[in-house]
Amino acid sequence: MIDMAFEQLAALHGIPGRIELTHGQGGLPCIDIHNAAADARISLYGGQVLSFRPAGSQDERLFLSERAHYAEGKAIKGGIPICWPWFGADPDHAGRPAHGFARTALWDLQEVSEPGTDLTRVTLALRDDERWHALWPHAFELQLVIDIGSHLGLAMTTINRGHLPFQLSQAFHTYFAVGDIADVSVDGLQGLDYLDKPRAFERFQQVGAVTFAGEVDRIYQAVAGSVRIDDSGLKQRVDITGTGSRTAVVWNPWADISAAMGDLTDDAYRRFVCVETANAADDVVTLGPGMQHTLAAVYRWSGL
Ligand code: TA6
């Protein structure tokens, strides 16, 4: 479906059994990684991690919707969608797509390296062209470095290649797989202010850990330390360390929204929580000509 020199990429980067260029669902070009620590799949469409598992196991750490769309122009529901160069609704109210266009762009595969037997590093890139100028008239370079190993790491660098400053908001919209959302709590946000989307972005203060008994869609501000997901059902914890970010978004749509979304099954909301390392709300990034900013997140899973 997408015009690209797939065979060339496979010849350049492929190593049988370790780094495999493949056509994923919908024929989208993907790269499958296998090393001593983990197995993963990354879609070049969206620059999106779709799957991450400890080596040889079937324990998916990321949720990927059974109803996800795999088609040009549509975002893939699950894994780690990249929201860029804006997070959420179009900040200019000009009818542009929610969460920007990076998640519906075909990224270049720049480099794959193996710093160790238990770590594979994939570098993707996206640059401006006429298609994106219609949505965002700036010269940019975006680089996404993904580490697949005992941890999952992402570092996304935006460089302003133009002559004028621009503003950006962004997020790693990560869908963490959970056993049952009722057993999940998110720690590390206690005492912080958040903007509550279901209540017209009114400001509230977080008391205790975040738990889930209905829709949660919140933008936490002034986030300083790491954030933790505890899943008492799966007896699993995820430590999230963000850098270049003062914002965390926590989202679970709950039953009605899950049922209304065409790319989620009715009960999908029980099996994921999104905890997003972001720059959003009062944490937008302004980049002058030649300047750059890196948003990074490291995810580590362990037992409870
Ligand atoms: O990050 C939370 C959020 O902005 C929610 O408000 C919800 O709309 C979600 O992202 C999913 O958005 P999407 O466009 O991927 O359906």
Side-chain angles (χ1 to χ4, degrees):
M1 61 169 290
I2 288 169
D3 177 35
M4 67 177 303
F6 184 82
E7 298 308 327
Q8 266 175 303
L9 277 183
L12 197 63
H13 299 287
I15 303 177
R18 297 194 340 239
I19 299 164
E20 293 175 331
L21 273 294
T22 173
H23 290 289
Q25 280 156 294
L28 297 178
C30 289
I31 174 161
D32 283 350
I33 304 294
H34 308 281
N35 62 36
D39 298 307
R41 171 168 285 189
I42 300 167
S43 167
L44 300 187
Y45 178 77
Q48 191 161 340
V49 182
L50 298 181
S51 164
F52 180 78
R53 290 173 278 128
S57 114
Q58 292 307 314
D59 291 344
E60 263 305 342
R61 302 304 201 201
L62 302 174
F63 166 88
L64 181 62
S65 175
E66 302 86 330
R67 291 233 183 113
H69 301 300
Y70 298 92
E72 220 169 335
K74 302 218 169 183
I76 302 171
K77 189 63 104 256
I80 311 182
I82 302 293
C83 303
W84 188 97
W86 57 88
F87 170 82
D90 176 1
D92 293 345
H93 311 288
R96 297 174 302 171
H99 292 319
F101 54 84
R103 64 179 182 161
T104 55
L106 183 65
W107 292 58
D108 289 328
L109 176 57
Q110 218 168 43
E111 199 187 341
V112 187
S113 65
E114 297 181 304
T117 54
D118 58 356
L119 179 64
T120 309
R121 180 164 292 158
V122 178
T123 304
L124 307 179
L126 187 66
R127 293 176 192 82
D128 60 300
D129 61 27
E130 307 84 73
R131 185 165 158 216
W132 307 131
H133 287 166
L135 291 169
W136 204 61
H138 301 288
F140 67 83
E141 196 178 319
L142 190 56
Q143 193 190 60
L144 177 61
V145 179
I146 303 168
D147 278 355
I148 303 295
S150 56
H151 67 277
L152 172 58
L154 295 101
M156 182 161 71
T157 301
T158 304
I159 307 172
N160 182 346
R161 292 283 183 216
H163 302 291
L164 295 171
F166 59 64
Q167 278 204 325
L168 101 130
S169 56
Q170 56 185 344
F172 299 131
H173 198 304
T174 308
Y175 287 75
F176 292 96
V178 300
D180 188 309
I181 190 68
D183 300 326
V184 171
S185 61
V186 178
D187 258 301
L189 302 168
Q190 292 89 327
L192 297 184
D193 280 0
Y194 64 87
L195 307 177
D196 196 36
K197 185 171 172 190
R199 288 183 278 184
F201 293 102
E202 223 184 296
R203 182 181 296 269
F204 295 90
Q205 197 179 53
Q206 180 64 35
V207 180
V210 185
T211 53
F212 301 86
E215 181 192 8
V216 170
D217 195 347
R218 303 175 181 172
I219 301 174
Y220 286 87
Q221 302 190 290
V223 177
S226 59
V227 179
R228 196 175 90 203
I229 303 171
D230 283 340
D231 182 340
S232 62
L234 282 186
K235 299 203 173 4
Q236 179 176 280
R237 114 187 215 179
V238 192
D239 285 289
I240 302 171
T241 310
T243 42
S245 153
R246 289 186 286 112
T247 308
V249 178
V250 179
W251 181 55
N252 182 283
W254 213 252
D256 290 353
I257 294 177
S258 201
M261 283 185 152
D263 53 1
L264 284 178
T265 59
D266 290 4
D267 63 353
Y269 72 97
R270 300 215 73 95
R271 291 177 282 119
F272 73 82
V273 62
C274 288
V275 179
E276 310 172 37
T277 302
N279 297 113
D282 68 353
D283 179 28
V284 294
V285 174
T286 302
L287 289 181
M291 285 174 64
Q292 65 180 60
H293 172 81
T294 301
L295 173 72
V298 173
Y299 306 132
R300 290 180 196 279
W301 284 262
S302 57
L304 257 188

